[in-house]
Amino acid sequence: MFDVQHPFFIPLWRRIAVVAACLGWALLELSWGNPGWSILFGAIGSYCAHQFFVAFDAEAIRKKYTDEGGSS
């Protein structure tokens, strides 16, 4: 849906905010009795949590975007 391996997400607080917003919204939808939306936002939050805290490599992202910017 969007590039989670982007330099915008290098600061830790941004990654935490995105995951917290998605999972928080999932809980809110669940409390409103909307299990479908809750599952959707829970899945997005879980995917982002994995990408931001398990698979995230800030140095590789910096290198990728520095190399792309210099070669164009």
Side-chain angles (χ1 to χ4, degrees):
M1 190 147 266
F2 60 91
D3 185 13
V4 294
Q5 301 295 321
H6 190 274
F8 176 80
F9 294 112
I10 289 176
L12 180 62
W13 72 269
R14 289 181 182 163
R15 292 180 272 151
I16 292 171
V18 168
V19 171
C22 291
L23 295 178
W25 197 262
L27 291 174
L28 189 65
E29 289 291 347
L30 189 61
S31 73
W32 287 340
N34 299 317
W37 286 109
S38 178
I39 290 169
L40 178 69
F41 281 98
I44 293 170
S46 298
Y47 172 75
C48 286
H50 175 268
Q51 289 297 307
F52 289 157
F53 303 116
V54 177
F56 199 79
D57 185 3
E59 291 306 316
I61 293 169
R62 281 189 187 105
K63 184 174 179 355
K64 175 183 172 189
Y65 280 89
T66 301
D67 290 347
E68 284 180 5
S71 64
S72 296

